[in-house]
Amino acid sequence: YKDGLNSLYKTAKPHKSSDTIDANTFADHCKSLFTSVPAPELVRIPSCNAEQHPLIKAVDEEEIEAAMDKMKSKAKSSSGLSPFILRKLFSSLLPFLLVIYNNAIRKCCFPISLLESCVFFLHKKGSKLDPNNYRSIALENPFLKLLTSIFTARISNFAEENNLLPTW
């Protein structure tokens, strides 16, 4: 019975191609995705009172909790933690998150170990030799994901309140 299922599975399973993309070609393609020619010119936003500005004010418990409620992924980052695990530890971590995030905002510096992401690529379709036929998946450190979620909400609210979004 078991051999019968295995042989049936082998005939139904698509055969894998031995074609693989050269690692250097793939690396060059990935670098090109993040290169802009010509380099963009950054325009500084006029300075404002940092303590009063909604984009750079101190993070509060409500913001962390709202962002945490949206974190449902069970995919573990390279640290071994997932957003789901972070949610389970929320009440214990909250005081530490407030200190880390507010210190990062005040000093404009975030702990480098929390900034790493794990990136891997899945073949979509077509030739496996063409780097355009791959989709990237990035698993961020859940602490970084939480902070970026807070900033995303802030930027979105700020843009809406100040009519900064384009109207089509």
Side-chain angles (χ1 to χ4, degrees), residues 84-96:
F84 180 78
I85 293 170
L86 213 61
R87 281 182 67 190
K88 296 290 183 189
L89 300 171
F90 174 70
S91 59
S92 300
L93 291 175
L94 183 60
F96 300 106

Side-chain angles (χ1 to χ4, degrees), residues 155-168:
I155 291 168
S156 179
N157 290 338
F158 183 79
E160 287 179 25
E161 290 171 3
N162 292 280
N163 295 320
L164 298 175
L165 299 175
T167 55
W168 305 95

Side-chain angles (χ1 to χ4, degrees), residues 6 9-10 12 14 28 30 33 40 69 87 89 98 105 108 113 117 124 131 144 151 153-154 168:
N6 282 338
Y9 175 72
K10 286 178 186 175
D28 290 341
C30 292
L33 296 174
D69 285 343
R87 281 182 67 190
L89 300 171
L98 285 166
I105 292 170
C108 297
S113 62
S117 293
K124 296 184 293 187
L144 174 63
F151 285 145
R154 284 183 179 187
W168 305 95

Side-chain angles (χ1 to χ4, degrees), residues 121-139:
F121 299 88
L122 295 177
H123 180 253
K124 296 184 293 187
K125 60 182 178 178
S127 170
K128 290 187 176 183
L129 297 174
D130 183 354
N132 290 306
N133 291 335
Y134 290 83
R135 178 171 58 105
S136 62
I137 305 286
L139 298 177

Side-chain angles (χ1 to χ4, degrees), residues 38-78:
E41 183 180 329
L42 300 177
V43 179
R44 293 239 174 239
I45 297 173
S47 62
C48 55
N49 184 346
E51 292 176 17
Q52 300 296 322
H53 200 280
L55 294 179
I56 52 178
K57 67 177 183 170
V59 174
D60 59 34
E61 292 181 19
E62 292 78 23
E63 281 183 299
I64 293 177
E65 190 168 3
M68 187 73 76
D69 285 343
K70 296 176 185 174
M71 296 179 64
K72 302 193 185 325
S73 173
K74 292 185 180 181
K76 293 180 181 177
S77 69
S78 59

